[in-house]
């Protein structure tokens, strides 16, 4: 999970630096693959969450992965699980998401990413597209991590 979150952070940060952003979803469960295809219930649900629910730049955690995190937080309390849980937050619509606070490696870098997003929003062709950046800009500009609490999982 730590490696996954680090990769999400690097991809998201790099995308913003190059003038884009991402949205996605993380699921936990069965997948099947061969050299030509990747399929299975977990893959299908992650795709559904990304395409139908995410809508803005964020990475949603599926309800199944949320249960895994809750079990870790409650049944295996340690500094390691506390550190892992701190990478998530509850979003305004109730979904658990990857906390954008993990983007960048410092407050300075997060604020720089927020400025890059403000420039992207300013140059967006429509107000609807501009609005898609607002929530992420707000979270990157926060002074505190606003991580999820064990009781919120």
């Amino acid at each position: 999970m730590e490696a996954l979150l680090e990769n999400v952070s690097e991809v998201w940060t790099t995308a913003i630096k190059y003038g884009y952003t991402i949205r996605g979803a993380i699921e936990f469960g069965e997948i099947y693959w061969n050299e030509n295809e990747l399929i299975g219930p977990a893959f299908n649900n992650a795709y559904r969450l990304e395409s139908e629910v995410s809508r803005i730049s964020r990475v949603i955690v599926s309800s199944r992965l949320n249960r895994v995190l809750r079990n870790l937080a409650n049944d295996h309390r340690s500094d390691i699980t506390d550190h892992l849980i701190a990478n998530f937050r509850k979003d305004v619509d109730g979904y658990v998401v990857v906390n954008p606070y993990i983007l960048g490696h410092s407050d300075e870098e997060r604020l720089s990413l927020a400025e890059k997003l403000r420039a992207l929003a300013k140059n967006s062709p429509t107000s609807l597209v501009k609005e898609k950046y607002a929530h992420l800009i707000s979270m990157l500009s926060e002074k505190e991590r606003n991580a999820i609490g064990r009781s919120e999982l």
Side-chain angles (χ1 to χ4, degrees):
M1 182 59 73
E2 188 71 32
L4 173 68
L5 291 169
E6 182 61 31
N7 283 314
V8 167
S9 174
E10 286 300 315
V11 168
W12 206 351
T13 298
T14 302
I16 293 169
K17 287 178 180 178
Y18 282 95
Y20 302 94
T21 190
I22 67 165
R23 70 176 192 213
I26 303 172
E27 174 62 287
F28 181 81
E30 299 289 323
I31 61 168
Y32 312 99
W33 70 92
N34 62 28
E35 42 189 68
N36 299 318
E37 295 181 302
L38 176 65
I39 59 170
F43 179 82
N44 293 339
N45 194 44
Y47 174 78
R48 184 192 63 76
L49 286 169
E50 180 276 329
S51 62
E52 297 175 12
V53 178
S54 195
R55 299 185 191 255
I56 57 174
S57 184
R58 62 183 180 166
V59 179
I60 293 177
V61 171
S62 73
S63 57
R64 183 177 296 163
L65 181 54
N66 192 0
R67 281 191 298 277
V68 169
L69 293 171
R70 184 179 328 114
N71 289 341
L72 274 174
N74 294 327
D75 299 342
H76 303 284
R77 287 189 156 182
S78 70
D79 290 343
I80 292 171
T81 57
D82 288 345
H83 173 75
L84 180 65
I85 302 295
N87 290 293
F88 300 94
R89 72 183 288 159
K90 183 87 61 150
D91 213 346
V92 294
D93 59 1
Y95 280 93
V96 174
V97 297
V98 173
N99 192 342
Y101 198 86
I102 70 171
L103 302 183
H105 298 287
S106 66
D107 289 341
E108 205 172 81
E109 190 173 359
R110 276 185 290 283
L111 292 174
S112 174
L113 292 171
E115 283 304 314
K116 180 75 172 177
L117 289 166
R118 280 186 189 92
L120 289 172
K122 183 179 178 183
N123 294 326
S124 295
T126 68
S127 58
L128 180 62
V129 174
K130 287 179 186 183
E131 197 56 37
K132 289 186 176 192
Y133 294 105
H135 188 57
L136 180 57
I137 292 168
S138 172
M139 288 189 287
L140 286 171
S141 301
E142 292 173 347
K143 299 271 190 234
E144 295 181 27
R145 187 177 193 104
N146 290 317
I148 198 165
R150 290 176 187 275
S151 62
E152 295 177 280
L153 286 171

